[in-house]
């Protein structure tokens, strides 16, 4: 590919030959998500640019039109901050660290609801879903949630809770439905997802864990919950839920009705997490467990799944220093991640390969934002124009 083509942002398309597609009517069934994309186009993209500032101390991020919200992963005075997207200037710090009213010891998120509203989940004793509106953020005033839901006020005969990731839908009737992971502590069913109807203070559970241990006695729910943990996303209408598992080749495309009922549309359950029993607990086997997925996002009718390197956790750790030395010496990364792009009904479309290995993704319009570590060990954000993709 010529340098001029890359400079104009024209993608390099690599058509991969391979086994028959699962949806193409071929008799050969795929054995992994990678197999689903074996005969789909691959687009190699160069960044349009990067932010001129680094995300020091930041965990997750959420991009808006000209601002970015950061979650701090260290116990700083404030757990959330708002910045100018172009300059990095701090516009506001909020979500005070502490154990008093309107204070938090841990925050999950932030997760987008619309073009100005986002929600966070607090995992301390407060257990709030907290809603913030950027249009109400004033330089002169503290920035507090305009609405909070106390997740301890659950009307259900079973003990349980929902936890991070946490999304929210405002229904036309003015109700709020929360969607997240399930932790049905006293239920015999092994449920993976939950919805919470705020108006009724009602928690519902859906979808069994897809794979079991193969023993007569399944592991306790809290163990399976950790093993099957991973990123989630919803579409803008709030009627579709998308889920991936960190340590299993497992993707779910789900539908959400106005009453908060979750039903599957398409599910890919290829490989379970690999773990071993330790008394009443279980642990990941580092030599056998692959880190499959890092993130999942919806944008403009498509679902983007950030696939990890395909190496085991131990291999990733052993290669960290070698990859750092390569980056320091050459300024180039060894690209071993991909972004699988599906329709929101779960049909495979194409693969994206970027010029860095992303940690997380976010979108604003046709622009994809990803964070990654530079040679100094700081997080940077690059952005990519996807407007020309099918």
């Amino acid at each position: 590919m010529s340098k001029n083509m890359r400079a104009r942002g024209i993608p390099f398309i690599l058509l991969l030959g391979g086994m028959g597609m699962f949806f193409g009517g071929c008799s050969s069934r795929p054995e992994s998500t990678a197999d689903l994309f074996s005969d789909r186009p691959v687009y190699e993209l160069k960044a349009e640019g990067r932010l001129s500032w680094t995300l020091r101390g930041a965990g997750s991020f959420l991009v808006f039109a000209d601002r970015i919200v950061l979650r701090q992963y260290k116990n700083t005075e404030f757990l959330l901050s708002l910045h100018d997207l172009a300059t990095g200037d701090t516009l506001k710090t909020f979500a005070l660290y502490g154990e008093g009213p309107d204070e938090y010891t841990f925050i999950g998120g932030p997760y987008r609801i619309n073009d100005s509203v986002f929600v966070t989940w607090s995992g301390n004793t407060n257990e709030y879903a907290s809603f913030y509106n950027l249009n109400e953020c004033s330089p002169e005033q503290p920035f507090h949630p305009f609405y909070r839901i106390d997740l301890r006020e659950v009307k259900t005969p079973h003990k349980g809770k929902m936890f991070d990731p946490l999304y929210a839908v405002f229904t036309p009737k003015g109700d709020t439905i929360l969607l997240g992971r399930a932790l049905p502590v006293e239920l015999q069913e092994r449920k993976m997802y939950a919805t919470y109807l705020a108006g009724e203070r009602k928690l519902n559970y859906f979808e069994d864990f897809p794979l079991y241990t193969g023993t007569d006695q399944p592991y306790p729910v809290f163990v399976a919950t950790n093993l099957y943990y991973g990123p989630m996303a919803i579409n803008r209408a709030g009627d579709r839920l998308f889920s991936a598992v960190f340590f299993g080749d497992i993707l779910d495309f789900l539908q959400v009705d106005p009453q908060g009922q979750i039903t599957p549309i398409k599910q890919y359950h290829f490989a379970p997490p690999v773990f071993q029993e330790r008394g009443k607990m279980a642990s990941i086997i580092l030599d056998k467990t692959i880190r499959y997925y890092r993130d999942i996002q919806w944008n403009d009718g498509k679902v983007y799944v950030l696939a990890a390197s395909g190496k085991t956790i131990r291999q990733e750790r052993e290669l960290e220093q070698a990859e750092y030395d390569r980056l320091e010496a050459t300024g180039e990364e060894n690209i071993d991640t991909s972004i699988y792009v599906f329709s929101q009904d779960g049909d495979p479309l194409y693969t994206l390969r970027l010029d860095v290995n992303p940690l997380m993704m976010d979108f604003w319009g046709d622009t994809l934002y990803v964070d990654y570590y530079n040679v100094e060990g700081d997080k940077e954000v690059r952005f990519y124009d996807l407007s020309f993709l099918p």
Side-chain angles (χ1 to χ4, degrees), residues 116 198 267 310 326 378:
S116 60
Q267 297 174 298
R326 171 191 171 93
D378 292 325

Side-chain angles (χ1 to χ4, degrees), residues 320-334 355-356 372-378 382:
E320 279 181 359
Q321 185 60 48
E323 290 301 321
Y324 174 81
D325 293 341
R326 171 191 171 93
L327 181 61
E328 188 175 37
T330 67
E332 297 182 357
E333 284 193 85
N334 178 31
D355 48 1
V356 294
Y372 65 100
Y373 283 112
N374 62 21
V375 68
E376 287 81 21
D378 292 325
R382 292 193 183 190

Side-chain angles (χ1 to χ4, degrees), residues 203-224:
L203 187 64
N204 299 311
Y205 300 108
F206 302 92
E207 291 300 301
D208 289 335
F209 292 114
L211 299 164
Y212 291 89
T213 64
T215 64
D216 294 333
Q217 184 64 38
Y219 289 119
V221 171
F222 67 89
V223 173

Side-chain angles (χ1 to χ4, degrees), residues 94-113:
F94 54 105
L96 185 65
Y97 179 82
E99 298 184 0
D102 198 23
E103 296 179 353
Y104 310 92
T105 55
F106 175 82
I107 280 183
Y111 303 109
R112 187 190 320 278
I113 296 178

Side-chain angles (χ1 to χ4, degrees), residues 164-191:
D164 183 56
L166 181 71
Y167 285 89
V169 179
F170 297 143
T171 69
K173 295 182 178 180
D175 298 329
T176 303
I177 299 176
L178 301 180
L179 303 95
R181 293 287 183 190
L183 186 60
V185 178
E186 292 189 355
L187 292 181
Q188 293 300 315
E189 298 88 354
R190 269 54 186 165
K191 301 299 182 183

Side-chain angles (χ1 to χ4, degrees), residues 82-94:
L82 179 66
H83 304 263
D84 183 283
L85 184 60
T87 65
D89 293 344
T90 301
L91 304 176
K92 182 68 66 176
T93 54
F94 54 105

